[in-house]
Amino acid sequence: LGDWKYQLGDTKLTYTDSYYSGGEHGGGYNMKEEIHLCKAGHFLYYDQSTVAAGGTDVSGYSGSTSQGHGSWNVTDKGGSFVLKLNFNDGTVREYSLGWGENQELYMNGYRYYRTWEGDYAPDCF
């Protein structure tokens, strides 16, 4: 449990996914999720998604939203570890945690990139 808190504290976790199909009626999506985890126990959360459908004149867009600040913790649920985000508005998000073969971080089965330095450092206030 302590190792997870050490590995995740003062890091920015980023997940991205995109898909585009070409052609006249093509479409696709682009999504990005960022979780800034600070050792002090608080976090920032951002997600942004863009969806486009149809030809060149038809598109839909869902803009970037900041979902506020809150506190985070890692809990042990029967031998598996879970990152728990407690948003200030009462929303709770949980992510099951795991490591890949080369120490890649997986949350809920999806790969997240861990960064902590320079331009990719977390925004810990």
Side-chain angles (χ1 to χ4, degrees), residues 89-106:
D89 68 1
T91 303
V92 176
R93 284 193 179 201
E94 292 187 344
Y95 300 83
S96 62
L97 297 170
W99 294 115
E101 290 180 14
N102 297 309
Q103 290 298 306
E104 300 103 350
L105 175 64
Y106 283 84

Side-chain angles (χ1 to χ4, degrees), residues 29-95:
Y29 64 87
N30 185 34
M31 95 166 266
K32 181 177 184 179
E33 178 184 35
E34 284 185 7
I35 306 169
H36 300 243
L37 298 176
C38 303
K39 280 188 180 174
H42 55 269
F43 70 90
L44 290 172
Y45 179 90
Y46 302 98
D47 79 32
Q48 178 177 350
S49 57
T50 306
V51 178
T56 57
D57 297 325
V58 181
S59 66
Y61 176 71
S62 174
S64 174
T65 57
S66 166
Q67 297 194 355
H69 308 290
S71 62
W72 68 278
N73 205 348
V74 176
T75 59
D76 183 347
K77 288 201 171 181
S80 61
F81 295 97
V82 173
L83 170 64
K84 189 173 183 179
L85 302 181
N86 298 297
F87 288 84
N88 290 335
D89 68 1
T91 303
V92 176
R93 284 193 179 201
E94 292 187 344
Y95 300 83

